[in-house]
């Protein structure tokens, strides 16, 4: 089954740093999930529109994320990355439904959140984005929509 090809190849076999264009890999979805030896993705290039849901989920050794992530879909991208300290820049001012859902969930070492420049919220865009990020003390968001249970970040 080619949809699970990345899991067969990378299942906790990668160590060190990841770099290059993420589109070089077949499907970025859950691509490096559970690869605890990955330490840095600082030089990984993510083109706009590339869906990266769960890409680094469970990569507990990851300390450095890509520097910036363009508009795309990042649901659970860093879920459970307990050593991640700084989040990447998220410069998009236009959001898609659930685009950042659970993106940093459980990143207990995360100390610095990205500025969230979008002024209009969409359904579940920030839900759970920083949930259980116990080292995070400050988040700067630019939205002007009054938050409700549909839009909150948990």
């Amino acid at each position: 089954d080619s949809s699970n090809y990345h899991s067969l190849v990378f299942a906790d076999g990668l160590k060190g740093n990841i770099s290059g264009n993420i589109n070089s890999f077949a499907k970025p979805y859950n691509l490096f999930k559970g690869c605890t030896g990955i330490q840095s993705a600082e030089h990984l290039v993510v083109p706009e529109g590339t869906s990266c849901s769960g890409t680094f989920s469970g990569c507990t050794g990851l300390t450095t994320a890509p520097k910036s992530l363009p508009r795309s879909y990042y649901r659970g991208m860093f879920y459970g990355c307990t050593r991640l300290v700084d989040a990447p820049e998220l410069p998009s001012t236009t959001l898609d439904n659930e685009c950042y859902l659970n993106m940093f969930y459980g990143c207990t070492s995360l100390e610095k959140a990205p500025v969230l420049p979008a002024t209009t919220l969409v359904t579940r865009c920030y839900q759970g984005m920083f949930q259980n990020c116990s080292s995070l003390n400050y988040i700067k968001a630019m939205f002007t929509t009054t938050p409700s249970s549909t839009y909150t970040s948990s």
Side-chain angles (χ1 to χ4, degrees), residues 83-103:
R83 292 188 185 154
L84 186 65
V85 177
D86 289 327
E89 288 181 28
L90 300 173
S92 182
T93 56
T94 304
L95 302 176
D96 296 307
N97 292 343
E98 300 184 358
C99 58
Y100 300 134
L101 180 74
N102 296 328
M103 185 175 184

Side-chain angles (χ1 to χ4, degrees), residues 72-146:
S72 192
Y73 192 68
Y74 300 110
R75 182 177 184 166
M77 184 176 188
F78 300 104
Y79 190 105
C81 292
T82 56
R83 292 188 185 154
L84 186 65
V85 177
D86 289 327
E89 288 181 28
L90 300 173
S92 182
T93 56
T94 304
L95 302 176
D96 296 307
N97 292 343
E98 300 184 358
C99 58
Y100 300 134
L101 180 74
N102 296 328
M103 185 175 184
F104 300 103
Y105 186 103
C107 293
T108 55
S109 297
L110 189 65
E111 296 175 354
K112 183 179 178 188
V115 172
L116 305 174
T119 57
T120 302
L121 301 178
V122 295
T123 304
R124 299 176 62 182
C125 56
Y126 294 139
Q127 184 174 340
M129 185 176 186
F130 299 108
Q131 190 167 340
N132 294 335
C133 293
S134 54
S135 297
L136 190 59
N137 293 316
Y138 178 78
I139 300 169
K140 182 176 182 177
M142 308 304 285
F143 58 84
T144 55
T145 310
T146 303

Side-chain angles (χ1 to χ4, degrees), residues 23-67:
N23 283 339
S24 300
F25 302 100
K27 295 182 180 183
Y29 179 79
N30 285 336
L31 184 65
F32 304 115
K33 183 177 182 178
C35 291
T36 58
I38 296 175
Q39 297 169 340
S40 176
E42 181 178 8
H43 300 291
L44 185 68
V45 176
V46 179
E48 185 170 334
T50 303
S51 179
C52 294
S53 297
T55 301
F56 294 103
S57 178
C59 292
T60 56
L62 186 68
T63 59
T64 310
K67 292 180 181 185

